Every structure is written in structure tokens, then in C-alpha cells.
Amino acid sequence: MSDSDSDTTGKTDTAERPDSAEAAAPAVVLAGLDDRLPDLEALYKDLHRHPELGFQETRTAAEVARRLTAHGYDVTTGIAKTGVAGVLRNGPGPVVLLRADMDALPVTEDSGLDYASTVPGRMHACGHDVHVTCLLGAADLLAAGRAHWSGTLVVLFQPAEEVGSGARAMIEAGLYSEGLVPTPDVVLAQHVAPFGAGLIAYCPGACMAAADSLEITFHGTGGHGSRPETTIDPILMAASFVQRVQTVVAREVAPKDRAVVSVGSFHAGDSANVIPDRAVVRLSVRSFDEAVRTAVLAAIERIARAEAAASGADRDPQITTLDTFPVTVNDTDLLTQVNRDFTQLFGEQRLFAYDPATGSEDAGLLATAAGAPLYYWWLGGWDPDAFRTALAAGRLAQDIPSNHSPHFAPVVRPTLTMGVEALTAAALNQLGGGARAGD
């Protein structure tokens, strides 16, 4: 339900969006974008130069709050430490939430950009600076164009997406339960991706995987490297586990199902001639089905315990969950409605469907906690000519850096332009300002 002091009508079916005669096409509200682009480009480059990790986004949050206040939003800061929310009430109608994540990654940038990160070991390697900039641009345009829509707009700037904690932390901090923002009727979000700028990709239903990151500590008995018979070697134990765990997907997951198990970290010992007393392995699990997820996690634990037992360890391995993301599920009806306006605004040739991605997101928690549908789409961000060349040569993996790469560098235009346009059009689609079906 929406806040009792809000002038919205509360929950509405997404198929029953406002259809007033006064509702304008997105192009009317977007008319002022060209004048705003130089400022948005400067903002984006500034954010890229000053990346901040999860729950440390104080500089970013301060700039977000300053701009939202100037645009006339009711602003709440410090949600789950650094989260920011802006609310714009504008007559009766649904509550629409637009979300952007703000955090960077512990990556050393190697992009060659003249606005590269100035913070050692920190980089916006996943495009969250794009997300913040685009949502601020859309928030500005929608506030300026409020004569053309009706309802309540919530713009949410979330911390700590990269570790899967930000959305959950905001919800637990009372985002909806304490009325920090009205409970949304729909949740909309986008993510920049390494395909041609000027394109939008979409996936109905389950579009991104659930993810579980685990840390497994194998306990052995250390000793001198010259006398291995007096030790229980945790390195050998953990190495055997790393080999064996790769069989889980190959031999325990049906071909019709999808799962990924990747070991990303292995730490043990400090000296060439000392066998340590423990080895620590970190791994990531991706899945799209809860039964598959449960089975894979159980198999990993079984193998870890079995390798410890096979090595004669006197302690079971310690298994700790580091973070977890749910499956991201797009509402098909909401996707169809918004894509109708995307098609009218951008042209059918600039939208394409994609298969579910094994990356993960926590934006879906914001929708689930509200009992609202979600539409989460991908925004192309790579130089279109370079992307087409790599595609034609069959070298996408080699020539186009992916998210989380130290070389990840979205082009400024048209990425920012289309990102602002997409968020604005999607919001108007639900607030009564989009193109009408049958027009």
C-alpha cells in the first residue's frame, strides 16, 4: 500500500495504467534532454574519476541528494548508510520506482580514459556511474515535465549492489515498512552492458541468475616442507576439492537446467618450505531454479567434507556464505507494456531479446518486498562500430571487455542519451505519459 499521506490511489494493476487525454508522448518530456547533456556528461566523468565501494558511497550520495533537492523531490538520505531516495508526488495514479546502483569495484582501472579513476584499486568497472547519471537525468526531466503525467515517482539510489547487500539493507532499514518511500506498484531498472550503444536488450521471465558466494576453509596440520608425512596437507585437500567440484555441473545437473560453479580465489601458506595448517577457497554458484540451487550447494558441501575425510583431516571444513542474490524475474506484462513505448520511441530495430544471463542482481528484492512487478533491461554501452567489427570477426570475447574488466569503458554518447530516454519513457509508460496502445 502507498503512504496514507500520499495523494496516490494505492495499488493498481499494471494493465490499468492512466490513459488521460492530456498524457503526452515521451518525446515531449524528453525535449529538454539535449540542453542537459553537457552537464550530465560532466557528472558522469566526475563519478567515474571518484569511484566508491559498497556502503562507502558518501560523495556520490551527497551529489545525488543535492541534485534531487534542486529538482523538487522530497529527499531521504542515509538509508542503509549511504542510500538515497527522492519522492515526487504529482496527483492521483500509481507509484513508480526507478532504481540505480551506485557502488564501484575493487579493480585497478586500465581503460586509458582521460577521466579514469583517481582512486588506486577502485574503478567503476560495472557502469554504476552510468546508472546514477542516467537516473538523475531522468529525474530532472520527469520533474520538469510533471504537467504530462500523474502519480508518484520514486527514484532510488542504492548502495552495495556488487556484494548483494544493498537492496536488502535498504528494505531492512524500513524503506517501505517505515514509509521512507511509498510502496511502489512497479519497479523499473536498467544496466549498461558491453554491446552496441543505442540498443536495448530484454528478457521475459527469469532474466538473471541467483548467485551464492561461498568461502570454504580446509583445516589440516602444518609442518616442515621436508617432512610432509608429519602433516595433513590442506593445500592438497583444497586442490582436490577444486578439481572435483567442477564435476557437479557436468555430472549432477541435468542438461535442461543451467548452473555455473566457478572457483575464484585460493589462498594457502606464505613460505615455500612450510606446509600451512589451512587453505581457503572462495567460489561462486549461479542457478535459475531453487531445486537446482539447493542440489548444487549440497553437492559442494558433500565434496568438501569428503575431501577432508579422504585426507585424514581431524576437522570438517568450515563453509561460510559470503553473499547471495535471488533470481531476477521480469514481469512479462510490464515488459510488454514498456517495450511498446520503447519501440515507438527508438524503433523496433533497436530492441532485441536475449537469453537469461548468468550474472546476478539484487534489484528484484525491491520488487518482491513490495509485491510489485519488475522490468529490468540491458542498455548497450559499447562503441557500435567496434562491437560490429568484433561480432563479424567472431571475437566478442577477445575484443569487447565485459563488465568487471579493468578495460570496461562505455562510450559517453549515445549511452547516456539512450539511458536517460529509456528510464524516462518507461516511467511515463506507467505514469500516464507514454504512447497509448493503438495510437
Side-chain angles (χ1 to χ4, degrees), residues 1-3 6-13 16 18 91-95 150-152 185:
M1 295 293 290
S2 301
D3 285 347
S6 169
D7 54 3
T8 62
T9 59
K11 287 284 181 185
T12 60
D13 190 296
E16 298 175 357
V95 179
S150 182
T152 295
D185 296 298

mmCIF file of all heavy atoms in Angstrom, residues 1-3 6-13 16 18 91-95 150-152 185:
data_model
loop_
_atom_site.group_PDB
_atom_site.id
_atom_site.type_symbol
_atom_site.label_atom_id
_atom_site.label_comp_id
_atom_site.label_asym_id
_atom_site.label_seq_id
_atom_site.Cartn_x
_atom_site.Cartn_y
_atom_site.Cartn_z
ATOM 1 N N MET A 1 0.837 -1.198 0.000
ATOM 2 C CA MET A 1 0.000 0.000 0.000
ATOM 3 C C MET A 1 0.872 1.249 0.000
ATOM 4 O O MET A 1 1.940 1.285 0.588
ATOM 5 C CB MET A 1 -0.923 0.029 1.223
ATOM 6 C CG MET A 1 -1.946 -1.088 1.248
ATOM 7 S SD MET A 1 -3.162 -0.926 -0.051
ATOM 8 C CE MET A 1 -4.049 0.522 0.543
ATOM 9 N N SER A 2 0.362 2.310 -0.601
ATOM 10 C CA SER A 2 1.071 3.572 -0.576
ATOM 11 C C SER A 2 0.889 4.251 0.766
ATOM 12 O O SER A 2 0.000 3.897 1.548
ATOM 13 C CB SER A 2 0.537 4.493 -1.677
ATOM 14 O OG SER A 2 0.679 3.894 -2.943
ATOM 15 N N ASP A 3 1.736 5.260 1.056
ATOM 16 C CA ASP A 3 1.613 6.002 2.301
ATOM 17 C C ASP A 3 0.232 6.633 2.409
ATOM 18 O O ASP A 3 -0.335 7.123 1.438
ATOM 19 C CB ASP A 3 2.652 7.129 2.353
ATOM 20 C CG ASP A 3 4.040 6.571 2.648
ATOM 21 O OD1 ASP A 3 4.133 5.399 3.049
ATOM 22 O OD2 ASP A 3 4.993 7.312 2.473
ATOM 23 N N SER A 6 -0.012 10.092 1.159
ATOM 24 C CA SER A 6 0.217 10.331 -0.257
ATOM 25 C C SER A 6 -1.099 10.561 -0.958
ATOM 26 O O SER A 6 -2.151 10.059 -0.554
ATOM 27 C CB SER A 6 0.922 9.112 -0.872
ATOM 28 O OG SER A 6 0.933 9.190 -2.266
ATOM 29 N N ASP A 7 -1.058 11.308 -2.057
ATOM 30 C CA ASP A 7 -2.284 11.539 -2.804
ATOM 31 C C ASP A 7 -2.396 10.569 -3.969
ATOM 32 O O ASP A 7 -3.039 10.840 -4.971
ATOM 33 C CB ASP A 7 -2.345 12.985 -3.313
ATOM 34 C CG ASP A 7 -1.108 13.375 -4.121
ATOM 35 O OD1 ASP A 7 -0.234 12.526 -4.333
ATOM 36 O OD2 ASP A 7 -1.040 14.538 -4.529
ATOM 37 N N THR A 8 -1.751 9.388 -3.849
ATOM 38 C CA THR A 8 -1.894 8.358 -4.857
ATOM 39 C C THR A 8 -3.079 7.471 -4.513
ATOM 40 O O THR A 8 -3.637 7.508 -3.427
ATOM 41 C CB THR A 8 -0.620 7.501 -4.936
ATOM 42 O OG1 THR A 8 -0.432 6.865 -3.675
ATOM 43 C CG2 THR A 8 0.592 8.367 -5.253
ATOM 44 N N THR A 9 -3.449 6.618 -5.457
ATOM 45 C CA THR A 9 -4.631 5.785 -5.280
ATOM 46 C C THR A 9 -4.301 4.419 -4.719
ATOM 47 O O THR A 9 -5.189 3.592 -4.570
ATOM 48 C CB THR A 9 -5.343 5.599 -6.626
ATOM 49 O OG1 THR A 9 -4.428 4.996 -7.550
ATOM 50 C CG2 THR A 9 -5.816 6.931 -7.174
ATOM 51 N N GLY A 10 -3.026 4.143 -4.417
ATOM 52 C CA GLY A 10 -2.664 2.840 -3.903
ATOM 53 C C GLY A 10 -2.393 1.873 -5.037
ATOM 54 O O GLY A 10 -2.207 2.242 -6.186
ATOM 55 N N LYS A 11 -2.394 0.576 -4.733
ATOM 56 C CA LYS A 11 -2.017 -0.441 -5.698
ATOM 57 C C LYS A 11 -2.965 -0.446 -6.887
ATOM 58 O O LYS A 11 -4.177 -0.349 -6.753
ATOM 59 C CB LYS A 11 -2.042 -1.829 -5.049
ATOM 60 C CG LYS A 11 -0.891 -2.040 -4.098
ATOM 61 C CD LYS A 11 0.369 -2.296 -4.871
ATOM 62 C CE LYS A 11 1.534 -2.534 -3.911
ATOM 63 N NZ LYS A 11 2.790 -2.662 -4.615
ATOM 64 N N THR A 12 -2.376 -0.559 -8.074
ATOM 65 C CA THR A 12 -3.155 -0.703 -9.298
ATOM 66 C C THR A 12 -2.552 -1.812 -10.119
ATOM 67 O O THR A 12 -1.361 -2.092 -10.045
ATOM 68 C CB THR A 12 -3.140 0.589 -10.137
ATOM 69 O OG1 THR A 12 -1.790 0.896 -10.477
ATOM 70 C CG2 THR A 12 -3.756 1.743 -9.391
ATOM 71 N N ASP A 13 -3.382 -2.468 -10.929
ATOM 72 C CA ASP A 13 -2.891 -3.465 -11.851
ATOM 73 C C ASP A 13 -2.076 -2.758 -12.916
ATOM 74 O O ASP A 13 -2.472 -1.721 -13.435
ATOM 75 C CB ASP A 13 -4.071 -4.211 -12.480
ATOM 76 C CG ASP A 13 -3.618 -5.422 -13.267
ATOM 77 O OD1 ASP A 13 -2.901 -5.246 -14.262
ATOM 78 O OD2 ASP A 13 -3.995 -6.532 -12.881
ATOM 79 N N GLU A 16 -3.731 -1.502 -15.956
ATOM 80 C CA GLU A 16 -4.721 -0.431 -15.832
ATOM 81 C C GLU A 16 -4.031 0.894 -15.575
ATOM 82 O O GLU A 16 -4.374 1.653 -14.694
ATOM 83 C CB GLU A 16 -5.686 -0.754 -14.680
ATOM 84 C CG GLU A 16 -6.473 -2.033 -14.903
ATOM 85 C CD GLU A 16 -7.324 -2.391 -13.710
ATOM 86 O OE1 GLU A 16 -7.244 -1.671 -12.685
ATOM 87 O OE2 GLU A 16 -8.058 -3.382 -13.783
ATOM 88 N N PRO A 18 -2.927 4.850 -16.120
ATOM 89 C CA PRO A 18 -3.708 6.009 -16.502
ATOM 90 C C PRO A 18 -3.645 6.235 -17.999
ATOM 91 O O PRO A 18 -2.637 5.994 -18.651
ATOM 92 C CB PRO A 18 -3.030 7.155 -15.742
ATOM 93 C CG PRO A 18 -2.355 6.488 -14.602
ATOM 94 C CD PRO A 18 -1.931 5.158 -15.099
ATOM 95 N N GLY A 91 -0.183 14.099 -7.963
ATOM 96 C CA GLY A 91 -1.574 13.781 -8.224
ATOM 97 C C GLY A 91 -1.863 12.301 -8.147
ATOM 98 O O GLY A 91 -1.007 11.482 -7.805
ATOM 99 N N PRO A 92 -3.092 11.909 -8.456
ATOM 100 C CA PRO A 92 -3.504 10.506 -8.357
ATOM 101 C C PRO A 92 -2.832 9.658 -9.428
ATOM 102 O O PRO A 92 -2.517 10.130 -10.511
ATOM 103 C CB PRO A 92 -5.017 10.568 -8.569
ATOM 104 C CG PRO A 92 -5.225 11.801 -9.387
ATOM 105 C CD PRO A 92 -4.187 12.787 -8.920
ATOM 106 N N GLY A 93 -2.642 8.390 -9.087
ATOM 107 C CA GLY A 93 -2.019 7.484 -10.036
ATOM 108 C C GLY A 93 -1.107 6.500 -9.336
ATOM 109 O O GLY A 93 -0.981 6.517 -8.103
ATOM 110 N N PRO A 94 -0.456 5.639 -10.081
ATOM 111 C CA PRO A 94 0.398 4.603 -9.485
ATOM 112 C C PRO A 94 1.684 5.171 -8.921
ATOM 113 O O PRO A 94 2.080 6.303 -9.205
ATOM 114 C CB PRO A 94 0.690 3.679 -10.682
ATOM 115 C CG PRO A 94 0.597 4.582 -11.866
ATOM 116 C CD PRO A 94 -0.496 5.569 -11.550
ATOM 117 N N VAL A 95 2.343 4.358 -8.103
ATOM 118 C CA VAL A 95 3.669 4.682 -7.579
ATOM 119 C C VAL A 95 4.683 3.908 -8.411
ATOM 120 O O VAL A 95 4.656 2.682 -8.464
ATOM 121 C CB VAL A 95 3.802 4.295 -6.093
ATOM 122 C CG1 VAL A 95 5.208 4.619 -5.590
ATOM 123 C CG2 VAL A 95 2.757 5.010 -5.258
ATOM 124 N N SER A 150 0.793 11.773 -14.169
ATOM 125 C CA SER A 150 0.136 11.828 -12.868
ATOM 126 C C SER A 150 0.461 10.562 -12.078
ATOM 127 O O SER A 150 0.454 9.458 -12.627
ATOM 128 C CB SER A 150 -1.383 11.959 -13.043
ATOM 129 O OG SER A 150 -2.041 12.060 -11.794
ATOM 130 N N GLY A 151 0.727 10.739 -10.803
ATOM 131 C CA GLY A 151 1.072 9.620 -9.941
ATOM 132 C C GLY A 151 2.194 10.020 -9.001
ATOM 133 O O GLY A 151 2.401 11.212 -8.736
ATOM 134 N N THR A 152 2.922 9.047 -8.494
ATOM 135 C CA THR A 152 4.054 9.302 -7.599
ATOM 136 C C THR A 152 5.295 8.628 -8.151
ATOM 137 O O THR A 152 5.279 7.434 -8.462
ATOM 138 C CB THR A 152 3.756 8.786 -6.182
ATOM 139 O OG1 THR A 152 2.675 9.535 -5.632
ATOM 140 C CG2 THR A 152 4.971 8.955 -5.278
ATOM 141 N N ASP A 185 4.122 0.398 -7.084
ATOM 142 C CA ASP A 185 3.279 -0.504 -7.860
ATOM 143 C C ASP A 185 4.078 -1.212 -8.944
ATOM 144 O O ASP A 185 3.705 -2.293 -9.390
ATOM 145 C CB ASP A 185 2.128 0.268 -8.500
ATOM 146 C CG ASP A 185 1.193 0.869 -7.474
ATOM 147 O OD1 ASP A 185 0.582 0.098 -6.723
ATOM 148 O OD2 ASP A 185 1.087 2.109 -7.413
#
